[in-house]
Amino acid sequence: MTALHSEVSADASTSGRASWRDVVGAYVGLTKPRVIELLLLTTVPVMFFAQRGVPPLGLVVATVVGGTLSAGAANSLNCVWDRDIDEQMRRTRRRALPRHIVTPRAALVFGLTMMVVSTLVLGFLVNWLSAGLALAANAFYLFGYTMVLKRRTTQNIVWGGIAGCFPTLIGWTAVTGELAWTPVVLFLVVFFWTPPHTWALAMRYREDYARVAVPMLPVVKDAEGVARQIVAYSWVTVAVSLALWPVAGTGLVYPVVALVLGAVFLVEAHLMWRRARVSDELAEVRPMRLFHWSNMYLSLLFVAVAIDPLLRR
């Protein structure tokens, strides 16, 4: 930490001294805690489902710690690569690197160190299959999405979102030590959910993405065109979520919750599409309403994944 802090201090001298609170906040910010929360939300419930009950506390703690470090490493390295566009975007210009609280070298060392530690934690305390899956997710996120897809194609988040689906596989393998169709179905739920969730946010910040020439779908299509695709992916998301019932043999709690949540999700998607057909103005389309609901949808759906086996017992 001394070396990392010296990097911060050297850079901070050009723009004022950074307090220890600033330093700690900067490094925490590099990991993107809100993103990590969502990833863990799709990891721990799958562990409950795989265990058909409450998994061992030590295993849960090791998986959460390893998963947090792994995701934090990937997010920190993403910040290093994207620092040029982060500095120009309104949504990201308050991050540590654009504010010059942390240097790129310090962030790089920080991210690589966390990646090594996370691999060792998952490998020795969970299993090496889970550790390998976490490494694969990070590699795809960094090389596939961040370096290749993000700045080149409107399908960036569709395929780049694969990295965010891996926690379902990691949670399952942490308990069972092997892969199965059940976590694959949950993987696909997150895969098809990601575009509606991300495109809704990208609509809110489409001017930012346009300014830095990142071809997110809302940059190259009007609101109606984006909303139409959001509706299509939302339908597939709900259909795949219901497929877990026959594939995994869940109780009745999960399919009932999935059906109710899915119905509300689809209603919200269609309402946004209707508004987008009338106006292209963000104030009229209200994409953040769908964005926030999509967070709620996935959260409650995976809570149902965790609760279902407990109630059956």
Side-chain angles (χ1 to χ4, degrees):
M1 185 65 182
T2 302
L4 293 179
H5 186 243
S6 66
E7 288 283 348
V8 175
S9 300
D11 187 74
S13 65
T14 64
S15 56
R17 294 185 61 83
S19 68
W20 275 103
R21 181 175 297 180
D22 293 331
V23 173
V24 172
Y27 281 107
V28 171
L30 283 173
T31 67
K32 303 181 185 178
R34 296 298 298 273
V35 175
I36 293 176
E37 288 176 13
L38 196 59
L39 295 177
L40 293 179
L41 182 66
T42 58
T43 304
V44 177
V46 178
M47 297 181 71
F48 277 72
F49 197 84
Q51 186 72 36
R52 300 293 178 178
V54 181
L57 179 60
L59 181 62
V60 174
V61 171
T63 306
V64 167
V65 171
T68 298
L69 291 172
S70 179
N75 290 332
S76 298
L77 296 175
N78 168 265
C79 286
V80 174
W81 184 266
D82 278 347
R83 64 188 184 277
D84 58 330
I85 60 175
D86 282 351
E87 194 162 350
Q88 302 176 58
M89 294 179 64
R90 183 173 37 140
R91 184 172 67 90
T92 57
R93 62 191 176 195
R94 298 298 298 169
R95 289 177 178 171
L97 288 171
R99 292 173 62 200
H100 305 290
I101 298 178
V102 177
T103 65
R105 180 175 179 272
L108 179 63
V109 172
F110 179 64
L112 291 175
T113 301
M114 278 198 297
M115 189 169 295
V116 171
V117 173
S118 70
T119 302
L120 295 176
V121 168
L122 290 172
F124 285 110
L125 300 183
V126 182
N127 58 60
W128 289 103
L129 176 56
S130 298
L133 289 169
L135 272 178
N138 285 353
F140 189 83
Y141 180 65
L142 292 170
F143 298 110
Y145 172 67
T146 303
M147 296 184 181
V148 177
L149 295 170
K150 183 173 181 177
R151 307 193 193 200
R152 289 178 171 84
T153 173
T154 59
Q155 297 299 299
N156 48 19
I157 199 59
V158 176
W159 301 109
I162 288 175
C165 307
F166 271 76
T168 59
L169 305 181
I170 294 168
W172 183 272
T173 57
V175 172
T176 67
E178 60 185 13
L179 289 170
W181 282 113
T182 295
V184 171
V185 172
L186 292 169
F187 179 103
L188 292 174
V189 170
V190 181
F191 175 78
F192 289 112
W193 166 87
T194 299
H197 170 76
T198 308
W199 285 334
L201 180 66
M203 288 179 75
R204 169 69 177 81
Y205 293 101
R206 61 186 176 189
E207 292 181 2
D208 268 1
Y209 287 111
R211 184 181 303 116
V212 295
V214 172
M216 295 294 285
L217 190 65
V219 173
V220 300
K221 282 187 174 291
D222 61 11
E224 194 274 334
V226 177
R228 188 189 314 116
Q229 292 209 33
I230 284 176
V231 167
Y233 274 91
S234 299
W235 272 99
V236 178
T237 301
V238 174
V240 174
S241 74
L242 292 172
L244 186 68
W245 181 20
V247 169
T250 71
L252 287 176
V253 172
Y254 173 79
V256 169
V257 172
L259 188 62
V260 172
L261 291 174
V264 179
F265 190 23
L266 290 174
V267 167
E268 287 294 335
H270 277 274
L271 286 175
M272 194 183 83
W273 186 20
R274 179 184 297 178
R275 294 192 295 266
R277 282 183 290 180
V278 175
S279 173
D280 194 55
E281 295 297 323
L282 287 178
E284 300 295 330
V285 179
R286 295 155 66 188
M288 293 304 290
R289 173 170 171 158
L290 181 69
F291 172 79
H292 292 306
W293 171 250
S294 68
N295 275 329
M296 184 69 70
Y297 167 81
L298 196 71
S299 301
L300 294 178
L301 186 72
F302 274 82
V303 168
V305 168
I307 290 176
D308 186 88
L310 299 178
L311 294 182
R312 277 189 289 161
R313 292 182 66 191

